Amino acid sequence: NNLDQDLLLADFQTINAALKRVLWEFYLDYHLEANQKHRGLNPYRSANIIINEEEVGLIGEIILNKNEKVWVVELDLDFINDDKVKAIELVSLSKYPSITRDIAFYVDQKITNRELEELITQTTKKYLIDLKIFDIYAAKDDSNRKSIAYHLTFNDPTKTLESLEVDKLMQSLVNRLEWTFKASIRKG
């Protein structure tokens, strides 16, 4: 039922946010790749944690009994101290103001967050300095689609960024999302 789906998603989002926060302390970013072969984990709710194209852990759901489910994370902490971790690059803060935009759309549930973030970053890379997902849920109908929303922050370190420039970038992004993923943009 929908309530169970919402609770399951909330549990995953909570643990995913905690993992992201821990790895952020080490300036590490990761993505998840589905893996149905983890013993003891729900095969439809488990994934490998990938950093720099290397598997460094797993995240998944353990079903204890019919009514109890627990999310677990396993992470190879030795990887954080490994030479494979990229050096931290310090960038000076811009003295010019940033512009933020939100975008929300429906896409097929099979499309991953990584695919979406790669397209968004590629399309807006000229001025994009931050990208955060802030909402995701399954569509209420039987369309096998999900709604996903991102918060984007833009900045130009050499000048004040004009709203019109960002509007053009956002329109390019909308066009690419519609063309590449058959996305339907949510209004309001």
Side-chain angles (χ1 to χ4, degrees), residues 88-99:
I88 299 168
E89 181 182 331
L90 298 177
V91 179
S92 61
L93 295 175
S94 174
K95 61 183 177 181
Y96 300 101
S98 296
I99 296 177

Side-chain angles (χ1 to χ4, degrees), residues 5-66:
Q5 284 291 81
D6 291 344
L7 290 173
L8 179 64
L9 187 56
D11 292 341
F12 171 77
Q13 286 180 338
T14 301
I15 202 158
N16 194 35
L19 179 62
K20 190 169 283 252
R21 184 173 183 152
V22 167
L23 291 175
W24 175 251
E25 295 296 321
F26 298 96
Y27 299 94
L28 294 173
D29 195 14
Y30 70 95
H31 68 274
L32 300 175
E33 289 181 359
N35 186 337
Q36 298 181 351
K37 298 177 183 173
H38 291 298
R39 286 190 61 171
L41 296 180
N42 181 335
Y44 303 103
R45 308 243 190 261
S46 61
N48 295 328
I49 300 168
I50 309 295
I51 298 175
N52 296 340
E53 304 307 320
E54 186 171 333
E55 182 182 328
V56 298
L58 63 90
I59 184 172
E61 178 190 65
I62 298 174
I63 300 173
L64 301 175
N65 61 46
K66 187 177 180 181

Side-chain angles (χ1 to χ4, degrees), residues 13-182:
Q13 286 180 338
T14 301
I15 202 158
N16 194 35
L19 179 62
K20 190 169 283 252
R21 184 173 183 152
V22 167
L23 291 175
W24 175 251
E25 295 296 321
F26 298 96
Y27 299 94
L28 294 173
D29 195 14
Y30 70 95
H31 68 274
L32 300 175
E33 289 181 359
N35 186 337
Q36 298 181 351
K37 298 177 183 173
H38 291 298
R39 286 190 61 171
L41 296 180
N42 181 335
Y44 303 103
R45 308 243 190 261
S46 61
N48 295 328
I49 300 168
I50 309 295
I51 298 175
N52 296 340
E53 304 307 320
E54 186 171 333
E55 182 182 328
V56 298
L58 63 90
I59 184 172
E61 178 190 65
I62 298 174
I63 300 173
L64 301 175
N65 61 46
K66 187 177 180 181
N67 297 320
E68 289 186 280
K69 299 170 186 163
V70 176
W71 280 90
V72 296
V73 172
E74 179 181 285
L75 188 61
D76 178 6
L77 295 178
D78 290 335
F79 181 84
I80 293 172
N81 295 323
D82 200 329
D83 292 336
K84 296 176 196 134
V85 176
K86 295 177 183 173
I88 299 168
E89 181 182 331
L90 298 177
V91 179
S92 61
L93 295 175
S94 174
K95 61 183 177 181
Y96 300 101
S98 296
I99 296 177
T100 61
R101 294 284 193 273
D102 292 339
I103 186 168
F105 49 88
Y106 293 101
V107 291
D108 190 286
Q109 287 188 12
K110 293 178 184 174
I111 297 170
T112 66
N113 181 50
R114 183 175 186 202
E115 291 174 299
L116 293 168
E117 286 188 359
E118 284 176 357
L119 182 133
I120 292 169
T121 302
Q122 182 185 53
T123 306
T124 60
K125 66 184 171 191
K126 184 174 182 180
Y127 299 120
L128 184 70
I129 61 168
D130 191 33
L131 172 64
K132 291 183 180 139
I133 188 170
F134 70 88
D135 188 30
I136 185 169
Y137 63 87
K140 301 279 185 208
D141 58 17
D142 293 329
S143 66
N144 207 24
R145 291 171 66 82
K146 63 184 171 186
S147 171
I148 192 162
Y150 292 93
H151 182 74
L152 296 87
T153 305
F154 300 95
N155 188 275
D156 185 339
T158 64
K159 65 180 176 78
T160 299
L161 195 57
E162 298 293 329
S163 185
L164 185 59
E165 292 172 283
V166 174
D167 291 345
K168 286 180 183 178
L169 273 179
M170 291 300 292
Q171 186 57 55
S172 294
L173 176 58
V174 166
N175 294 342
R176 288 204 63 207
L177 287 167
E178 290 173 341
W179 175 260
T180 305
F181 297 119
K182 308 297 183 243

